[in-house]
Amino acid sequence: MLRPKIPTMPTPVDVTAPPAVVQPTAVEPARQIMTSAAAPVVPTTRPTVQFTPGTVLALVGAGTAVVLVVGTVLVSMLLATAVTAASVAVCAVVVRSLLNGQRRQR
């Protein structure tokens, strides 16, 4: 009744040719091309990023805005969880009161 069906391999209808045999070949390394020496890189002494006072002020303002927005979202999610928990607790108290009232009437 609960025996699994074992799939059978279908027999080929056409006559197939045996698979082709691949002969390994030797790997030859690529020839190296001689190039002239590259120009030396001169290190710069100045910093790659320069902040102006306006840029620093904008970055501080943007960072503050991001922190305030993320904080507001997290606090609102915490408040939603607290309100949900309080409503579930009130529902549990009401259901418990109804069940106890039914037991007393019997």
Side-chain angles (χ1 to χ4, degrees):
M1 179 175 149
L2 296 175
R3 292 185 180 174
K5 291 185 178 180
I6 300 174
T8 58
M9 191 70 169
T11 57
V13 243
D14 296 335
V15 178
T16 58
V21 178
V22 179
Q23 297 292 336
T25 58
V27 177
E28 296 178 12
R31 291 186 293 162
Q32 294 182 357
I33 300 173
M34 299 298 278
T35 58
S36 61
V41 178
V42 179
T44 59
T45 56
R46 67 178 197 155
T48 56
V49 179
Q50 293 180 346
F51 294 115
T52 62
T55 306
V56 171
L57 186 62
L59 287 175
V60 168
T64 303
V66 167
V67 167
L68 289 176
V69 168
V70 170
T72 303
V73 168
L74 292 177
V75 167
S76 65
M77 288 172 59
L78 182 63
L79 181 62
T81 305
V83 168
T84 304
S87 65
V88 168
V90 168
C91 289
V93 168
V94 169
V95 169
R96 181 178 173 191
S97 174
L98 289 173
L99 290 176
N100 285 337
Q102 284 182 350
R103 288 183 191 159
R104 289 182 190 156
Q105 289 177 0
R106 289 186 185 182

